[in-house]
Amino acid sequence: MKKLIISIFGAAVLFTSGATSTEASSINSVVNNMTGIPYKWGGTTVAGFDCSGFMRYLFNKYSIELPRTSQQQAKAGTPVSKSNIRTGDLVFFNTTGKGISHTGVYIGGGQFAHASSSKGVSITKMTNPYFNDRYVTARRVTGQFMYDKMLGKM
């Protein structure tokens, strides 16, 4: 009986440790597979993305429709304070000096994914001086179900 309990306990530990290691793998896997896709102004496909086109494409994979432009996307969902950003939240920047002009998605670990005009689809730290100085706001467009799906919990 002790061996059976130990075996069950061991299996439970292995199962949960596996779940922990894949917790953020879903959205990160999608983003990692898209890293390097070139920037294309107005682009909405894997042939090339602009920042908001990339967000629309990515969120569509989770059955979430977003407006077309970063300015419009910044009005979707609900506002989130910078200290409460979680994986799947949209982050917005003023890169032109004329209001919101760039968007990305927070992927955890202090990083966001976006379509950069110089690097294409890439991952950047939120503390990157260029983006840190130009940060405007974040929006949450996912409910708990889609949040769990983005984390690979489903």
Side-chain angles (χ1 to χ4, degrees), residues 20-43:
T20 302
S21 67
T22 61
E23 185 171 286
S25 67
S26 181
I27 194 167
N28 288 347
S29 292
V30 173
V31 167
N32 286 333
N33 287 333
M34 299 176 81
T35 300
I37 291 175
Y39 180 86
K40 181 180 179 187
W41 189 82

Side-chain angles (χ1 to χ4, degrees), residues 13-94:
V13 169
L14 286 173
F15 179 76
T16 36
S17 65
T20 302
S21 67
T22 61
E23 185 171 286
S25 67
S26 181
I27 194 167
N28 288 347
S29 292
V30 173
V31 167
N32 286 333
N33 287 333
M34 299 176 81
T35 300
I37 291 175
Y39 180 86
K40 181 180 179 187
W41 189 82
T44 60
T45 71
V46 294
F49 290 110
D50 67 9
C51 64
S52 58
F54 177 48
M55 291 304 101
R56 279 182 59 121
Y57 184 89
L58 181 62
F59 277 79
N60 188 51
K61 290 187 168 294
Y62 298 96
S63 302
I64 298 169
E65 278 193 49
L66 292 176
R68 176 60 187 102
T69 68
S70 57
Q71 296 90 351
Q72 293 167 336
Q73 290 175 5
K75 296 174 185 171
T78 57
V80 179
S81 68
K82 194 172 187 181
S83 61
N84 288 320
I85 295 173
R86 71 178 188 190
T87 299
D89 287 342
L90 292 167
V91 289
F92 297 93
F93 306 89
N94 178 351

Side-chain angles (χ1 to χ4, degrees), residues 109-121:
Q111 300 180 103
F112 71 102
H114 60 123
S116 161
S117 59
S118 61
K119 298 178 183 176
V121 174

